[in-house]
Amino acid sequence: MKCLILAAGYATRLYPLTENFPKPLLEVAGKPILDWLIEDLERAGAVTEYVIVSNHKFADIFRKWIAEHPCKDKMSLVDDGSTSNETRLGAVKDIQLGISERDIADDLLVMAGDNLLTFSLQGFLDYFREKGTTCIMRFYQPDLEKLHKTGVAEVDENGKILSMEEKPAQPKSHWCCPPFYIYKREDLPLVDEGIAEGCGTDAPGSFIAWLCGRTTVHAWEMPGNRLDIGNLESYEDAKRKFNGK
């Protein structure tokens, strides 16, 4: 399995911290956000290559980080060429670019590089192997206002996605879908098809919303919490919660 890390955002809500520095490399409890995710995956022993998709503005910062990383021999960077929040490609086109540039044809874990988890991704990897389909993660979100700002899925009793919608005006369930996905290798060519057919490209879940209407996708219920670092307050909260872990 390979891992594609989405790290091309500009994190404008975290200015001035991220005005000239990428959010995934901000430190939480003594290490970059991204290192928490990668160290967990290294313990699982499932990933053979990490592909980091960055914007052009922060590409050199990521290259320096890679050069000093213990996993540098299986890391590569893809520069999407964008230089501002207004010219960004969007997450789905960054996924498409990463797959194309690195000629990826394996099962692919796709994740945002700016989220922290209070649980291991090992369970997600096991669930993918059990189901044998493209899989996403889900958690129960009781707050209706928060559901308007994220991907929301309907699932059956076996975890199969019946429908999914990004930022729905009228959410059909309380199952919120964070940006962690495992694409079955046979589904990778469908990224091009989804974009060609007009699936949304800004939010990474937009492709899954399109895909679940074409093939089977399952959703794993998270056993813990996801910390979405979107602003200065949530960043400070994450540092408090991870201190001493």
Side-chain angles (χ1 to χ4, degrees), residues 133-233:
T133 69
T134 289
C135 293
I136 69 171
M137 300 201 313
R138 61 182 163 118
F139 64 92
Y140 189 84
Q141 175 56 264
D143 189 328
L144 185 61
E145 288 304 311
K146 290 182 179 180
L147 291 172
H148 293 316
K149 301 174 183 178
T150 187
V152 177
E154 288 184 289
V155 299
D156 69 12
E157 64 277 9
N158 296 313
K160 178 183 175 181
I161 298 180
L162 304 176
S163 71
M164 180 175 167
E165 186 177 1
E166 278 288 339
K167 300 180 180 179
Q170 299 293 330
K172 295 180 180 179
S173 83
H174 285 271
W175 290 117
C176 178
C177 305
F180 290 82
Y181 319 96
I182 304 179
Y183 295 174
K184 186 179 176 181
R185 69 188 67 188
E186 289 84 356
D187 290 343
L188 293 184
L190 296 176
V191 175
D192 290 341
E193 185 178 333
I195 292 173
E197 290 193 6
C199 81
T201 55
D202 191 41
S206 296
F207 170 67
I208 297 295
W210 175 89
L211 182 68
C212 67
R214 274 78 181 169
T215 189
T216 300
V217 180
H218 285 89
W220 179 63
E221 186 175 354
M222 293 162 38
N225 298 317
R226 184 265 311 223
L227 282 66
D228 180 12
I229 300 171
N231 54 33
L232 292 169
E233 182 181 0

